[in-house]
Amino acid sequence: MSKRVMTAIAGLSLTAGLLGLAGAPAGAQAGTASEAATAAVAVPKPPKGARAVVQVSPNPTTKRGQEVTITGHCGGGKGLKAVLAGLDRKHPVLQNIRIVEDNPKGFVAKATLAPKIGNGVGPVFVDCGGEAGVTLLVTHV
């Protein structure tokens, strides 16, 4: 077998193994022969000021005007203070943003997708009074 074919097979095997690990629960990964590969892709703890965690549901969104729920935790911050979506105030991704629960250990906010939004990806930022977080909202309208 040629060196190129062997290299390609080895690369595909490694990729398949890493993809398999990525889809497995963390408990299922413990004790595997690929612990070094898993440790190499471990995400370091974010710096102080960027430890809030945020999710948007449903994500992706599919209808203009659709209501979305923003959830997460403040990662040591004082509580949810604000939610911003988009890169400028003239073209927001979300409108009618309202904080339902500002608890730093588990916040909830609601908003509606802007009526003039198109297909794409936009950031959703949270301010937790000392900690911030960001996620991406995908739109398929």
Side-chain angles (χ1 to χ4, degrees):
M1 198 178 281
S2 76
K3 187 174 181 178
R4 281 188 186 176
V5 172
M6 289 177 61
T7 302
I9 291 172
L12 288 173
S13 297
L14 178 61
T15 301
L18 290 176
L19 289 175
L21 277 177
Q29 293 177 13
T32 65
S34 298
E35 286 178 333
T38 303
V41 294
V43 177
K45 187 174 180 180
K48 182 141 181 64
R51 295 185 180 162
V53 174
V54 60
Q55 300 90 28
V56 178
S57 179
N59 194 3
T61 57
T62 57
K63 293 184 274 188
R64 292 178 178 97
Q66 180 177 7
E67 184 173 78
V68 297
T69 303
I70 300 108
T71 58
H73 65 81
C74 288
K78 295 175 175 53
L80 183 62
K81 306 296 181 199
V83 177
L84 303 168
L87 296 175
D88 64 44
R89 294 186 185 255
K90 291 182 183 179
H91 304 99
V93 174
L94 298 175
Q95 295 181 328
N96 304 319
I97 300 170
R98 54 214 177 274
I99 297 173
V100 176
E101 177 64 47
D102 65 355
N103 187 335
K105 293 184 179 183
F107 61 76
V108 178
K110 300 274 186 176
T112 54
L113 195 60
K116 294 184 178 182
I117 199 75
N119 293 326
V121 177
V124 176
F125 303 96
V126 294
D127 172 6
C128 281
E131 298 291 340
V134 64
T135 191
L136 294 174
L137 174 62
V138 179
T139 57
H140 292 292
V141 292

